[in-house]
């Protein structure tokens, strides 16, 4: 059948924003909840590869999460290997770099807007940004870590990356403010532009961020079992409910379980700094709980009766796969499956992004749109975002 | 969630490639795959106008098989059916 482009990219759905509207009308999620329907009745063992093909951008994370959840459901929990951890760290860096060079300039750098001082060293046009990104040595499977680190110091931080990370760890807001005021890289210009875009709406945006706690679950058996039960109950009431301790929570690069950098929230532009910090940590040699392949938390827990849950920190935050099998042998099929992605937490109708957009003034004037783009770039949804009413203004088409 | 669409390469030139999936054509940049040898018939993952990965034909076709199930369910739902996906 010949299909239109909208048909082709429609299954992902999208998010509709209404700046200034009161919750729950601030944010409408049009993503169909098809993961459970698609999984139910399938053979369990091929499911991880099917998810990898479907959730292409984060396919490896979904494959690993699904595999761990199925093994845990069979009562055979397994830990990811060192090679799997390193591959996941590498894929996460790639995703960070795509966001910084492909998304940020479009969202944040208006041709004559703040943060676009015409610095010839750093490209503002998206095609020039992509050309710089194409030179990252890490796209090649056989790349040397030292070459990747050199590129990151030259093109991302503009300085030794461990020094950048130390300053960030000491005081994220103060450091990011100092760093972006002398913007030597494209990323610094984008951070500066985001800060300017948020300024007219401060301190309201910071207040909204702080109203939603960071998603920092305890990953022991009892806590996870209680959480899974809570998610099950919510699933019955709402198609895609992400709840923790009875309410919404935010997840992202600033809520990493090993060392959350912004536990109490902060203005949206700080999230851009968290992505830079995460890129650096993942590019450093592996060190237990603090860098490289061991920075991201990955785990699984069997819950009995053929049910298992796996968690895996990825580019946008914490990803959950929960699965129930109809039997435990190799002919097992999926009785139930839930995938809860970071976008489900952050873009909940009562969640942090809805609260941020609620604080913006109604309408589509340029100042409001800049603020909205800064919010969206910070929380980085994995689906298209459009602005209501009447679709007159589109933030971006984030599909292909 | 983060869907990137596998598309088949129809033509390669110095500026990029023309790709197709289910009757929809897109012109895409190949800058992020400079280390790959891209030829007509290859399958690429496309995101924001750029090819970001080369995938096997089997992986692309499996993804499309799942997409087709989703699209069929949405067609059924629009036509007044239940929209239940076949299993």
């Amino acid at each position: 059948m010949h299909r239109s482009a909208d048909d082709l990219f429609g299954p992902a759905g999208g998010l509709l924003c209404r700046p200034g509207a009161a919750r729950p009308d601030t944010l409408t999620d049009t993503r169909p909840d098809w993961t459970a329907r698609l999984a139910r009745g399938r053979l369990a063992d091929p499911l991880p590869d099917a998810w990898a093909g479907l959730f292409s951008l984060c396919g490896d994370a979904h494959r690993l999460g699904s595999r761990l959840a199925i093994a845990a459901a069979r009562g055979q929990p397994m830990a990811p290997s060192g090679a799997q951890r390193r591959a996941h760290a590498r894929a996460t860096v790639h995703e960070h770099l795509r966001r910084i060079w492909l998304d940020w300039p479009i969202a944040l750098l208006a041709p004559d807007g703040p943060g676009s001082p015409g610095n010839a060293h750093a490209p503002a046009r998206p095609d020039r940004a992509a050309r710089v990104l194409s030179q990252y040595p890490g796209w090649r499977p056989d790349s040397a870590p030292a070459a990747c680190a050199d590129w990151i110091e030259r093109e991302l931080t503009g300085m030794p990356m461990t020094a950048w990370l130390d300053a960030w760890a000491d005081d994220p807001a103060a450091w990011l403010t100092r760093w972006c005021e002398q913007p030597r890289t494209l990323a610094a210009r984008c951070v500066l532009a985001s800060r300017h875009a948020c300024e007219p709406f401060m301190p309201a945006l910071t207040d909204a961020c702080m109203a939603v706690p960071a998603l920092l679950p305890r990953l022991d058996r009892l806590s996870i079992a209680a959480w899974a039960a809570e998610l099950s109950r919510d699933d019955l009431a709402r198609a895609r409910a992400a709840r923790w301790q009875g309410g919404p929570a935010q997840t992202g690069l600033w809520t990493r379980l090993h060392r959350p950098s912004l536990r109490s929230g902060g203005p949206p532009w700080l999230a851009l700094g968290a992505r830079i910090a995460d890129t650096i940590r993942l590019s450093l040699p592996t060190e237990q709980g603090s860098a490289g392949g061991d920075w991201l938390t990955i785990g699984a827990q069997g819950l009995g009766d053929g049910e298992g849950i796996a968690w895996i920190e990825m580019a946008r935050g914490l990803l959950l796969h929960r699965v129930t099998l109809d039997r435990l042998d190799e002919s097992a099929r999926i009785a139930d499956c839930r995938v809860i992605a970071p976008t489900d937490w952050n873009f909940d109708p009562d969640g942090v992004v809805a609260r941020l957009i609620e604080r913006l003034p109604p309408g589509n004037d340029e100042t409001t749109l800049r603020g909205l783009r800064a919010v969206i770039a910070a929380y980085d949804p994995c689906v298209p975002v459009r602005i209501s009413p009447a679709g007159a203004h589109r933030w971006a088409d984030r599909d292909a | 969630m983060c869907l990137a669409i596998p598309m088949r390469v129809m033509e390669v030139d110095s500026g990029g490639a023309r790709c197709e999936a289910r009757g929809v054509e897109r012109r895409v940049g190949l800058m992020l795959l400079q280390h790959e040898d891209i030829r007509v018939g290859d399958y690429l993952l496309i995101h924001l106008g750029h090819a970001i990965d080369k995938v096997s034909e089997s992986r692309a076709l499996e993804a499309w098989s799942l997409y087709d199930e989703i699209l069929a369910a949405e067609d059924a739902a629009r036509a007044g059916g239940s929209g239940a996906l076949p299993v």
Side-chain angles (χ1 to χ4, degrees):
Chain A
M1 185 198 314
H2 185 90
R3 292 186 178 277
S4 71
D6 281 348
D7 283 337
L8 185 62
F9 299 105
L15 298 161
L16 190 64
C17 300
R18 296 180 186 85
R23 284 172 287 136
D25 296 329
T26 322
L27 197 58
T28 303
D29 188 344
T30 65
R31 294 174 299 158
D33 181 29
W34 39 257
T35 51
R37 288 183 291 162
L38 201 60
R40 203 168 292 134
R42 286 185 185 277
L43 281 169
D45 288 332
L47 186 67
D49 285 336
W51 285 155
L54 198 60
F55 301 131
S56 307
L57 281 181
C58 301
D60 291 332
H62 280 280
R63 187 197 331 257
L64 183 55
S66 179
R67 229 175 238 164
L68 294 174
I70 289 170
R74 284 189 164 121
Q76 302 163 345
M78 58 184 196
S81 67
Q84 284 175 316
R85 286 185 169 279
R86 286 192 296 277
H88 179 52
R90 187 168 177 272
T92 305
V93 168
H94 290 180
E95 183 66 0
H96 287 340
L97 297 181
R98 284 193 288 264
R99 299 284 74 76
I100 294 169
W101 265 270
L102 299 182
D103 282 6
W104 287 7
I106 294 172
L108 300 167
L109 295 184
D112 56 350
S116 291
N119 180 347
H121 176 72
R125 288 166 50 90
D127 54 342
R128 290 174 62 190
R131 198 166 298 126
V132 173
L133 181 60
S134 73
Q135 292 156 7
Y136 174 62
W139 302 122
R140 295 179 177 277
D142 57 352
S143 59
C148 297
D150 285 347
W151 187 90
I152 285 172
E153 293 187 342
R154 187 174 63 250
E155 301 292 348
L156 179 59
T157 57
M159 60 183 288
M161 60 184 190
T162 49
W164 196 103
L165 193 60
D166 288 344
W168 166 264
D170 188 44
D171 187 338
W175 165 242
L176 207 59
T177 300
R178 280 209 312 278
W179 178 68
C180 74
E181 277 172 355
Q182 294 186 322
R184 283 176 291 186
T185 67
L186 176 66
R189 292 170 57 201
C190 290
V191 171
L192 181 64
S194 176
R195 190 157 64 86
H196 282 299
C198 291
E199 266 170 7
F201 313 111
M202 300 300 285
L205 296 185
T206 301
D207 294 343
C209 280
M210 294 183 72
V212 179
L215 175 62
L216 295 170
R218 289 173 54 199
L219 298 176
D220 58 86
R221 180 177 162 72
L222 283 177
S223 303
I224 285 293
W227 193 20
E230 186 180 11
L231 292 171
S232 298
R233 280 196 302 276
D234 275 342
D235 284 344
L236 296 176
R238 290 162 28 134
R240 188 187 282 106
R243 282 289 180 275
W244 183 57
Q245 296 182 338
Q250 54 177 310
T251 184
L253 308 136
W254 52 95
T255 67
R256 294 302 194 206
L257 292 164
H258 278 315
R259 193 181 301 175
S261 57
L262 300 172
R263 188 182 289 266
S264 60
W269 58 275
L270 271 183
L272 307 186
R275 190 175 296 278
I276 296 168
D278 212 63
T279 304
I280 295 172
R281 280 196 189 281
L282 291 165
S283 301
L284 291 170
T286 293
E287 192 176 325
Q288 189 173 7
S290 66
D294 203 45
W295 170 237
L296 301 171
T297 299
I298 305 172
Q301 178 70 59
L303 301 170
D305 295 328
E307 186 177 1
I309 188 168
W311 52 90
I312 178 166
E313 287 186 320
M314 58 193 297
R316 293 181 168 90
L318 189 68
L319 169 71
L320 287 178
H321 274 252
R322 186 169 63 79
V323 70
T324 306
L325 306 179
D326 65 352
R327 54 199 296 171
L328 302 184
D329 63 18
E330 62 187 19
S331 64
R333 289 182 180 272
I334 303 295
D336 192 24
C337 175
R338 300 286 160 169
V339 178
I340 303 182
T343 298
D344 298 323
W345 296 98
N346 294 333
F347 290 80
D348 181 277
D350 194 37
V352 64
V353 173
R355 290 164 192 257
L356 285 161
I357 297 173
E358 192 178 45
R359 299 300 187 98
L360 298 173
N364 290 326
D365 66 89
E366 191 52 36
T367 305
T368 301
L369 289 176
R370 280 205 192 108
L372 182 62
R373 291 184 195 115
V375 169
I376 299 298
Y379 284 89
D380 182 29
C382 53
V383 289
V385 177
R386 291 183 171 80
I387 302 171
S388 183
H393 293 269
R394 285 183 169 187
W395 170 65
D397 281 329
R398 295 170 58 95
D399 57 24
Chain B
M1 274 164 272
C2 37
L3 303 178
I5 309 296
M7 302 186 88
R8 187 168 182 272
V9 177
M10 308 297 288
E11 185 181 2
V12 180
D13 58 40
S14 58
R18 185 167 58 86
C19 297
E20 183 272 346
R22 295 296 193 271
V24 174
E25 288 193 8
R26 292 279 171 103
R27 180 153 185 81
V28 304
L30 297 178
M31 277 187 285
L32 302 184
L33 292 181
Q34 287 181 3
H35 57 288
E36 297 271 13
D37 179 22
I38 306 297
R39 295 165 185 246
V40 171
D42 285 342
Y43 286 86
L44 304 176
L45 291 183
I46 311 301
H47 179 64
L48 291 170
H50 296 277
I52 60 170
D53 204 359
K54 183 170 148 180
V55 297
S56 68
E57 181 177 14
S58 62
R59 182 172 161 186
L61 295 181
E62 181 173 8
W64 268 110
S65 158
L66 294 170
Y67 276 120
D68 284 343
E69 287 188 34
I70 297 166
L71 291 167
E74 295 204 331
D75 286 346
R78 273 198 291 269
S82 69
L85 286 158
V87 293

